[in-house]
Amino acid sequence: MLSSTFIENLGRMIPKENIILNESMSRHTTFRVGGEAACLIKVPNNEKLARLILFLDQTGHEYFLIGNGSNLLVSDNGYDGIILKLVEQFEEVYTDGLKIIAGAAAPLAQVAKLAMEEGLTGMEFASGIPGTLGGAIVMNAGAYDGEMKQIVKEVNVMDQAGNILTLNNETMEFGYRSSVIRNRPFIVLSAVLELEEGDKEEIKRKMKELAERRREKQPLEYASAGSTFKRPEGYFAGKLIMEAGLRGFSIGGAKVSDKHCGFIVNTGNATAQDIYEVIQEVQERVKDQFGVLLEPEVIRLGRF
């Protein structure tokens, strides 16, 4: 329970309409599950973000930053901390020659569409990834032989003291589904993407082709968090899950996709606990049969 004094102090820093108490996280995750967060705050700009994180640190309130919630599983029991969601300034996107400058909250698909419209190539792989730019940078999101590492020139981040730093591509230490930000208390604010001049119609054709491949191979008709597990070295997660006899395995409304075993989907009435238990069962069976521990890409938040 958040005190009235705490809420009043928040209201002095953030517009009151941007402060939402007891917000259902099922509205903010692509799994469409999850209990209530004690408070969700929509943060409109760098200045208010800096003041807010200093205040939360000083008052000892736990907080978690979300984008589109496309890689997040929130407990049915909810989250006792503060959810921060970047809006307004953080959603801005514009071009500068061969560069795209975009805020962390800009949807990745929107940034890829702008690149196409401006005849800039190199970002086609990202057109079907459902997250925001910030989340994609943190996890070095990728698909179809492309990844953020290939196009990120620099990233503006904020540290816990409210200082803004600029990290270049090398400093970001991009790896498979990882970056330096995964292990540092930085918040992505914006990024500069460096692309190449291309043919608009060819870019559009490639994006359409990738979209068709996704529809054919991925269970886009269901709520999910995309690929549930990281690719283990030397293996493919989906193939291991299939060979473990888990295609279509379900608990409650959560199910290993029949179309792509690397996806766990919400068939319509799943709880977060259902999804969590399917993840656990998949991990246990694959470990028992093949000696491989599958590491989830999905981040869990709250008590399971």
Side-chain angles (χ1 to χ4, degrees):
M1 179 71 70
L2 301 175
S3 71
S4 57
T5 301
F6 175 78
I7 300 299
E8 286 173 14
N9 287 331
L10 275 182
R12 295 189 182 99
M13 289 179 279
I14 300 289
K16 290 183 179 179
E17 62 270 21
N18 286 24
I19 302 169
I20 307 170
L21 301 178
N22 304 317
E23 176 71 351
S24 173
M25 291 306 294
S26 64
R27 299 174 185 153
H28 300 278
T29 66
T30 57
F31 263 134
R32 299 290 178 255
V33 299
E36 294 182 347
C39 181
L40 183 144
I41 303 172
K42 297 179 180 180
V43 190
N45 56 49
N46 288 344
E47 180 186 353
K48 293 191 184 302
L49 178 62
R51 289 185 63 194
L52 184 58
I53 61 175
L54 285 170
F55 172 68
L56 294 176
D57 285 339
Q58 288 166 1
T59 57
H61 285 82
E62 182 181 343
Y63 61 89
F64 188 86
L65 183 79
I66 66 168
N68 194 43
S70 59
N71 211 32
L72 186 63
L73 179 63
V74 182
S75 167
D76 300 313
N77 298 311
Y79 176 62
D80 293 335
I82 312 296
I83 295 291
L84 304 183
K85 191 174 181 72
L86 305 183
V87 296
E88 296 183 23
Q89 176 187 341
F90 302 104
E91 297 171 303
E92 296 174 358
V93 186
Y94 62 94
T95 58
D96 179 12
L98 298 180
K99 298 184 180 70
I100 290 182
I101 296 87
L108 206 57
Q110 177 189 332
V111 182
K113 183 180 178 183
L114 176 62
M116 180 270 291
E117 291 171 346
E118 296 293 324
L120 300 176
T121 186
M123 203 174 173
E124 292 87 337
F125 74 90
S127 59
I129 297 176
T132 57
L133 179 70
I137 287 172
V138 171
M139 68 173 293
N140 188 25
Y144 299 110
D145 299 321
E147 57 183 354
M148 296 305 294
K149 175 182 179 178
Q150 298 165 356
I151 59 174
V152 171
K153 179 177 175 61
E154 58 187 38
V155 181
N156 291 319
V157 301
M158 183 176 289
D159 66 16
Q160 284 183 297
N163 301 309
I164 295 177
L165 312 171
T166 299
L167 309 180
N168 61 26
N169 186 288
E170 184 177 348
T171 310
M172 282 295 298
E173 298 178 13
F174 286 118
Y176 174 66
R177 299 298 178 265
S178 70
S179 71
V180 69
I181 299 174
R182 268 272 163 105
N183 303 309
R184 299 286 293 275
F186 290 150
I187 295 175
V188 175
L189 306 176
S190 63
V192 178
L193 309 179
E194 195 161 44
L195 304 173
E196 297 178 1
E197 190 172 350
D199 179 78
K200 180 176 177 179
E201 291 306 313
E202 175 60 23
I203 296 167
K204 187 186 294 187
R205 185 202 62 76
K206 186 172 181 181
M207 287 171 64
K208 183 179 179 182
E209 177 191 318
L210 293 180
E212 289 171 354
R213 288 171 65 182
R214 282 189 175 91
R215 281 193 295 271
E216 287 173 8
K217 297 183 178 181
Q218 299 178 10
L220 302 182
E221 64 274 25
Y222 293 112
S224 78
S227 296
T228 308
F229 301 97
K230 294 181 180 179
R231 185 178 67 240
E233 190 172 350
Y235 300 91
F236 290 100
K239 189 169 187 292
L240 289 173
I241 296 167
M242 180 182 67
E243 290 178 350
L246 288 162
R247 182 190 294 277
F249 173 80
S250 65
I251 294 175
K255 179 180 178 180
V256 175
S257 169
D258 293 302
K259 187 182 285 188
H260 189 314
C261 291
F263 285 63
I264 292 174
V265 299
N266 176 359
T267 60
N269 62 343
T271 64
Q273 189 65 30
D274 291 340
I275 295 167
Y276 176 65
E277 290 179 8
V278 171
I279 289 173
Q280 285 192 309
E281 184 68 21
V282 167
Q283 287 179 301
E284 288 175 14
R285 289 211 207 171
V286 170
K287 182 72 163 58
D288 288 346
Q289 293 190 40
F290 305 107
V292 178
L293 179 61
L294 295 178
E295 182 183 352
E297 282 193 23
V298 177
I299 298 167
R300 296 194 304 273
L301 191 63
R303 291 173 285 102
F304 284 87

